[in-house]
Amino acid sequence: MFDELEKINTRPGPFEFYTAYDLWTDEHTSKQMLSFHLNRDIDASSRKAVFIEGSVDWIASYFNIGGKKIADFGCGPGLYATGLARKKAYVTGIDFSGRSIDYAREAANSDGPDINFIHQNYLDFETDEHFHLILMIMCDFCALSPAQRKKMLEKFYGILEPGGSVLLDVYSLKAFEEQKETAIYEVNLLNGFWSSNKYYGFLNRVKYDREKVVLDKYTIVEAHRTRTVYNWLQHFSTDSLEREFAECGFKVDKFYSDVAGSPFDMESSEFAVVAKKNF
C-alpha cells in the first residue's frame, strides 16, 4: 500500500506521459465530456453558448470568412464549425472523439450546413487541401508538449494558403501564478466523472515553475483496474508564444484577451493570438 501511495504522489517530468487520447475515447468519460460540451450555461469542455455565438460573429467579421476554407482543430461536437458554416465558410473539423464527431455530423445534417467532419487525432491529420484560416480553440494548444506544438505549427504552416491565419487561445502566466499545488482524495472524485462504477480518485496538482506548466494527475482506482490520467497545461507569455510561432514561419498579427476579439489585458487568465503565415 505504501509503495502504491508513493507512486500516486510521484512527480513526473514535464509532459513525460501523454494520455489525452484516453480521456476523449473512453466510453464513459467521452460521454461526460460531450455533456459538458453541450451544456450551454457552463465554461467546461466548451464555453457558454452566448460566448460562442459572439466569438463566431467576431471571427466571421475579422477574417471575412464568406467563401473561405477553415480548418477547426479539436472541433468537438462542432459548435464553432457549424456556426461558421452558416456564415458561408467551407469548414473542416478534426477531432479524435468519435462520440463528439458523431454528434457534430448528425447536428450538421439536420441543420443544413455542409461540413467535413473528420474523426482523427489532429496530430496525425494530413491533407492536400489548403485553408485560409486555422482554429484551435479552448486552449487545446496548451495541452500539447513542446515537440507536439512545434509539429502542429509546422502542419498549420504547410496547409495554410500564403498569407493565411491561425487563431488560437492559451493560458497566461497570470493563470499560472494563481494555481496552487494540491493533493485531493475522494470517493467517486468529480461526482462519478471517471467511471460508472465506484472508484477512489486521487488528484495531484503539480506546478513546474521553470517550464510554466501545470499538471493535474488523476489516479483512478476501481475494483478491476487502476489508471492514471495526465492533464498538462502549458502557460504562456506573449513573448514565449510569439517565439514559438516565429520559429515555424509565422508573424504574430495581434493579441486579444479571447477568441471573441476582446482587447488584450495583461491580467486576463487567457489570451488569444492571430498569427499569419509569412510569404
Side-chain angles (χ1 to χ4, degrees), residues 148-159:
Q148 289 170 329
R149 296 197 303 269
K150 187 172 189 295
K151 178 179 179 179
M152 289 308 304
L153 291 180
E154 289 173 346
K155 189 187 302 287
F156 291 169
Y157 190 90
I159 64 176

Side-chain angles (χ1 to χ4, degrees), residues 12-176:
F15 294 101
E16 183 177 355
F17 304 103
Y18 188 71
T19 60
Y21 188 80
D22 299 334
L23 175 66
W24 290 95
T25 58
D26 177 85
E27 179 66 20
H28 180 79
T29 57
S30 65
K31 184 177 181 180
Q32 299 282 88
M33 295 299 283
L34 180 59
S35 71
F36 288 143
H37 266 304
L38 301 179
N39 189 325
R40 296 171 57 87
D41 299 319
I42 62 172
D43 287 315
S45 298
S46 297
R47 294 188 175 89
K48 294 178 181 179
V50 66
F51 178 90
I52 293 174
E53 291 162 6
S55 179
V56 166
D57 287 343
W58 178 78
I59 291 169
S61 174
Y62 187 94
F63 295 100
N64 189 23
I65 66 169
K68 293 182 178 178
K69 291 184 178 180
I70 299 175
D72 184 2
F73 282 74
C75 66
L79 303 181
Y80 278 87
T82 302
L84 294 167
R86 287 198 194 106
K87 295 182 180 292
K88 310 305 179 185
Y90 300 101
V91 184
T92 296
I94 309 102
D95 202 284
F96 59 15
S97 170
R99 191 183 295 274
S100 291
I101 288 293
D102 287 346
Y103 177 91
R105 286 171 176 160
E106 184 176 343
N109 288 338
S110 64
D111 199 33
D114 185 14
I115 307 169
N116 181 25
F117 285 113
I118 298 173
H119 177 208
Q120 188 178 21
N121 186 335
Y122 55 51
L123 291 168
D124 301 322
F125 175 72
E126 300 290 343
T127 182
D128 293 328
E129 231 182 325
H130 285 78
F131 301 91
H132 300 94
L133 174 63
I134 289 174
L135 306 176
M136 183 176 273
I137 290 176
M138 204 62 187
C139 298
D140 259 30
F141 196 66
C142 298
L144 303 177
S145 70
Q148 289 170 329
R149 296 197 303 269
K150 187 172 189 295
K151 178 179 179 179
M152 289 308 304
L153 291 180
E154 289 173 346
K155 189 187 302 287
F156 291 169
Y157 190 90
I159 64 176
L160 272 174
E161 296 282 1
S165 298
V166 174
L167 171 66
L168 58 79
D169 51 0
V170 296
Y171 291 108
S172 69
L173 295 187
K174 177 68 173 178
F176 180 80

